């Protein structure tokens, strides 16, 4: 017999919570939750979701979380359901409530951190489906750096236009029909038909808008199961997906005890971030992804800003024909095999880093080995790409030195020159557009809506959809230091940096200044016909924009938020683990 003492079994993080005499009261709380000693001895997993009745995106997430909890328990874990806050973009559009949308991303990440670190959970299973839920939950997983997995809760099914038309509808059709009504091109009865029919089920908005874009991003980052993001929210297949993913998470938790499985910050590498940018570009995804990917990178201590995003966008072809710029919806991607089809085609073309790890411990290439091939309609082969340089562009010039974002997928023209029509807020611009107080050829400028200036960086889908509904979506341009929705289409340039309140040139524009936009691959520029001397003169004479007192969360946000090109994050990233992988 050996004289060596027996090796101690690996210790879960949650042992801090439950072991020893001093933790008897903690065990009492767990008994009161319905756990017994066997349950308490298991690894404890936080099941985070944004379920609730604040939007259709969130409506059935708690039901999906129950299947995740079943899978966790069956695989040897003890689940703890942890609902977190959510703010609906749909219910906050075009009014002051939109200021809280981007703020909610930080609240979600902070909530995950507080719960995981406070309760010493051993792992994280996160489920979100509204625009800011997805990045917020992924940020929380990476920040906490315990074994974790994210699953997009899925999109809604499209509606259908009543009558012989029978075309697919989504919520953007309602926004654009509002514009048609205001322009006298549609009746209020038609608007009522569309608004009743466009969103028939629970789930995220059906096109390649922000939620579905970030769902694909979660797969490309290695934080989500391949094939999970495009599965509609109401399909029964979601139940086994959640249970299967829970088993994979529990395997990762067990592997982490002996150093055998990757933790989130080992998955979230520069290669993974470039993969995420590639899938955004290849699908004509939401410009908001260029705000969220740098924020997720920040949680891993990686400096990955808008310029890094721009490099990947410029070299990645557009191969998916998805709305709003294209023809198809998330449901259609699911029917041809899911996001894995897109990722595998990008990998085969040399546009992805296949050696990047995933939460399972396998490489992305290994996870994609069984993915299907493009169908030729929804997703095209690389050699039949819709565009060689992707569907999202970053523009720079003397008007936006830090960059601005434009979704180019589906645009008929990439060049526009016209006089500025300047508004100091979204409300001013919306009132003018509703009253048709603009001219064809104008560049409508909406400022003081950046992360700090708004604060909260409001989203302008209401205005862009009105313009399309009025039939001028491709005849005017928009520029803002705020955001545009993933559902936005047209020559709509957002995230202009620096923002107006930070002294950006957008804050110096006057009505009539000539703005030149050239989004062609060889240019990617946005400028104003003013000399450096004139810009400097205006800057010296400019008065600081005054906003009313904020109070509460907006005041804290405005005091801490960083610029959009850095992801609009609100903390330093942590000196202990900050690294630059460039």
């Amino acid at each position: 017999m050996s004289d060596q003492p027996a090796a101690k079994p690996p210790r879960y993080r949650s042992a801090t919570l439950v072991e020893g005499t001093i933790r008897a009261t903690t065990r009492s709380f767990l008994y009161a939750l319905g756990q017994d000693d066997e349950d308490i001895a298991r690894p404890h997993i936080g099941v985070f979701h944004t379920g609730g009745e604040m939007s259709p995106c969130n409506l059935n997430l708690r039901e999906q979380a129950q299947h995740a909890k079943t899978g966790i328990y069956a695989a040897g874990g003890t689940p703890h359901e942890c609902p977190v806050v959510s703010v609906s973009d749909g219910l906050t559009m075009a009014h002051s409530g939109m200021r809280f949308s981007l703020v909610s991303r930080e609240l979600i990440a902070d909530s995950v951190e507080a719960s995981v670190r406070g309760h010493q959970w051993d792992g994280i299973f996160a489920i979100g489906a509204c625009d800011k839920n997805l990045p917020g939950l992924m940020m929380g997983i990476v920040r906490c750096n315990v074994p974790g997995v994210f699953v997009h809760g899925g999109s809604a099914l499209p509606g259908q236009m009543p009558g012989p038309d029978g075309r697919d509808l989504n919520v953007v059709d309602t926004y654009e029909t509002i514009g048609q009504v205001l322009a006298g091109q549609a009746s209020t009865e038609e608007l009522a038909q569309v608004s009743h029919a466009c969103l028939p089920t629970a789930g995220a908005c059906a096109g390649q808008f922000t939620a579905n874009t970030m769902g694909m991003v979660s797969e490309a980052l290695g934080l989500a199961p391949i094939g999970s993001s495009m599965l509609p929210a109401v399909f029964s297949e979601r139940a086994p997906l959640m249970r299967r993913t829970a088993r994979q998470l529990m395997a990762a938790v067990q592997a982490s005890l002996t150093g055998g499985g990757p933790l989130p910050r080992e998955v979230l590498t520069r290669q993974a971030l470039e993969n995420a940018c590639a899938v955004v570009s290849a699908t004509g995804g939401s410009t908001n992804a260029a705000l969220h990917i740098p924020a997720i990178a920040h949680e891993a201590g990686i400096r990955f800003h808008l310029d890094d995003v721009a490099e990947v966008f410029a070299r990645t072809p557009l191969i998916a024909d998805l709305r709003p710029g294209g023809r198809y919806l998330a449901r259609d991607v699911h029917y041809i095999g899911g996001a894995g089809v897109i990722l595998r085609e990008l990998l085969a073309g040399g546009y992805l880093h296949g050696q990047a790890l995933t939460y399972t411990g396998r490489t992305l290439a290994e996870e994609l080995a069984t993915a299907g091939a493009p169908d030729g309609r929804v997703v095209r082969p690389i050699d039949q790409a819709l565009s060689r340089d992707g569907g999202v562009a970053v523009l720079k010039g003397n008007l936006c030195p830090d960059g601005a974002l434009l979704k180019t997928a589906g645009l008929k023209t990439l060049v526009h020159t016209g006089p500025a029509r300047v508004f100091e807020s979204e409300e001013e611009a919306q009132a003018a557009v509703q009253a048709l107080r603009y001219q064809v050829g104008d560049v409508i400028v909406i400022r003081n809506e950046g992360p700090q200036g708004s604060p909260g960086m409001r989203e302008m889908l209401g205005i862009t959809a009105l313009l399309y509904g009025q039939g001028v979506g491709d005849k005017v341009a928009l520029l803002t230091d705020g955001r545009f929705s993933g559902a936005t289409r047209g020559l709509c340039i957002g995230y202009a940096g620096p923002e107006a309140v930070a002294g950006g040139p957008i804050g110096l524009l006057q009505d009539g200044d000539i703005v030149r936009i050239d989004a062609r691959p060889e240019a990617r520029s946005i400028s104003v016909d003013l000399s450096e001397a004139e810009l400097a003169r205006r800057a010296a004479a400019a008065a600081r924009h005054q906003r009313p007192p904020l109070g509460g969360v907006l005041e804290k946000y405005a005091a801490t938020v960083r610029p959009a090109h850095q992801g609009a994050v609100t903390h330093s990233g942590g000196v202990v683990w900050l690294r630059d992988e460039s």
Side-chain angles (χ1 to χ4, degrees):
M1 294 180 62
S2 170
D3 293 331
Q4 296 294 325
K8 291 184 178 180
R11 190 170 183 268
Y12 297 118
R13 278 167 48 91
S14 57
T16 302
L17 202 69
V18 300
E19 285 185 352
T21 303
I22 197 69
R23 301 297 180 218
T25 50
T26 306
R27 293 192 292 275
S28 295
F29 276 87
L30 296 175
Y31 295 144
L33 285 175
Q35 298 175 16
D36 60 19
D37 289 328
E38 180 184 340
D39 298 331
I40 291 171
R42 294 174 168 216
H44 291 254
I45 310 299
V47 180
F48 292 85
H49 66 82
T50 55
E53 296 178 348
M54 68 293 289
S55 78
C57 323
N58 299 285
L59 187 61
N60 74 351
L61 298 189
R62 186 168 191 268
E63 175 186 332
Q64 296 189 46
Q66 302 312 303
H67 295 295
K69 289 167 62 179
T70 298
I72 288 167
Y73 194 79
T78 296
H80 294 260
E81 187 177 347
C82 304
V84 293
V85 68
S86 176
V87 174
S88 165
D89 279 25
L91 296 186
T92 59
M93 192 66 68
H95 62 83
S96 61
M98 179 54 78
R99 290 190 171 94
F100 293 88
S101 173
L102 185 58
V103 174
S104 73
R105 186 191 74 179
E106 311 308 305
L107 295 176
I108 291 166
D110 291 349
S111 296
V112 173
E113 178 192 10
S115 184
V116 171
R117 289 183 169 167
H119 300 122
Q120 300 290 299
W121 301 146
D122 298 291
I124 301 170
F125 194 122
I127 312 164
C130 199
D131 291 8
K132 310 310 173 294
N133 299 350
L134 290 88
L137 289 165
M138 286 186 271
M139 288 164 67
I141 289 172
V142 177
R143 186 186 302 177
C144 293
N145 203 35
V146 300
V149 66
F150 173 83
V151 181
H152 177 25
S155 73
L157 294 175
Q160 191 172 71
M161 188 67 184
D165 183 343
R167 60 188 168 90
D168 283 346
L169 295 175
N170 66 83
V171 72
V172 177
D173 293 297
T174 299
Y175 282 113
E176 295 187 1
T177 306
I178 293 171
Q180 292 169 8
V181 170
L182 293 173
Q185 298 169 5
S187 67
T188 54
E189 290 76 14
E190 289 173 298
L191 175 60
Q193 278 190 319
V194 174
S195 63
H196 278 87
C198 71
L199 197 52
T201 73
C205 297
Q208 190 66 344
F209 312 146
T210 302
N212 289 331
T213 297
M214 293 307 297
M216 287 193 187
V217 162
S218 69
E219 294 189 39
L221 286 174
L223 296 175
I226 297 299
S228 58
S229 64
M230 294 295 101
L231 179 60
V234 294
F235 277 21
S236 297
E237 296 164 70
R238 287 215 149 256
L241 166 68
M242 292 296 171
R243 294 193 295 269
R244 183 169 64 250
T245 305
R247 293 194 296 271
Q248 294 171 334
L249 173 62
M250 291 310 303
V253 170
Q254 294 299 332
S256 71
L257 293 177
T258 56
L263 294 175
R265 290 183 205 152
E266 296 170 290
V267 172
L268 215 292
T269 62
R270 179 166 290 273
Q271 291 180 331
L273 293 162
E274 291 183 353
N275 289 346
C277 295
V279 80
V280 176
S281 187
T283 60
S286 170
T287 52
N288 280 316
L291 190 71
H292 299 321
I293 293 171
I296 297 168
H298 186 74
E299 300 295 347
I302 302 174
R303 293 181 181 90
F304 193 88
H305 294 165
L306 187 58
D307 286 341
D308 303 289
V309 174
E311 288 183 15
V312 183
F313 283 176
R315 69 180 185 237
T316 309
L318 174 66
I319 62 172
D321 189 10
L322 304 179
R323 293 190 191 179
R327 295 177 292 171
Y328 298 103
L329 299 167
R331 170 207 61 188
D332 304 309
V333 179
H334 169 65
Y335 281 142
I336 65 151
V341 170
I342 300 166
L343 293 169
R344 187 176 183 184
E345 184 66 10
L346 290 174
L347 179 64
Y351 297 98
L352 288 189
H353 302 286
Q355 69 272 34
L357 288 174
T358 71
Y359 75 97
T360 66
R362 289 155 49 90
T363 66
L364 183 62
E366 290 172 328
E367 293 291 338
L368 291 173
T370 58
D375 69 317
R377 294 182 308 107
V378 181
V379 178
R380 298 190 182 191
I382 293 288
D383 60 5
Q384 298 174 27
L386 292 157
S387 169
R388 299 308 307 172
D389 63 336
V392 185
V394 177
L395 312 182
K396 281 193 170 185
N398 72 341
L399 188 49
C400 302
D402 288 342
L405 284 160
L406 169 67
K407 179 181 284 193
T408 58
L411 282 184
K412 297 178 181 177
T413 178
L414 298 175
V415 178
H416 183 97
T417 298
R421 178 85 164 84
V422 181
F423 299 96
E424 302 298 338
S425 69
E426 180 186 8
E427 285 82 2
E428 283 188 18
Q430 181 152 323
V433 170
Q434 286 183 217
L436 304 176
R437 295 198 306 269
Y438 61 87
Q439 301 293 324
V440 168
D442 280 354
V443 178
I444 297 172
V445 178
I446 309 170
R447 63 191 180 198
N448 305 308
E449 296 291 0
Q452 185 180 11
S454 183
M457 206 175 192
R458 290 194 286 178
E459 191 171 276
M460 311 291 172
L461 174 61
I463 293 174
T464 62
L466 284 175
L467 289 167
Y468 256 94
Q470 292 168 359
V472 296
D474 57 352
K475 298 180 178 67
V476 297
L478 271 81
L479 171 66
T480 182
D481 52 8
R483 294 183 295 116
F484 285 121
S485 166
T488 293
R489 61 189 178 119
L491 201 59
C492 301
I493 302 162
Y495 318 83
E499 62 176 296
V501 301
I506 190 175
L508 307 177
L509 285 177
Q510 297 174 4
D511 284 347
D513 288 341
I514 300 301
V515 175
R516 299 183 184 277
I517 300 162
D518 190 342
R520 293 175 298 178
E522 63 270 22
R524 296 292 198 237
S525 65
I526 180 166
S527 61
V528 58
D529 285 359
L530 296 173
S531 66
E532 290 185 19
E534 174 60 13
L535 287 170
R537 186 193 68 76
R538 291 188 186 183
R544 184 175 176 83
H545 176 70
Q546 297 296 316
R547 63 178 176 226
L550 300 171
V553 68
L554 291 179
E555 182 177 311
K556 290 187 284 187
Y557 183 83
T560 57
V561 69
R562 297 186 176 197
H565 75 280
Q566 296 179 16
V569 294
T570 56
H571 68 98
S572 67
V575 174
V576 173
W577 42 270
L578 189 64
R579 68 187 190 274
D580 188 344
E581 294 194 352
S582 61

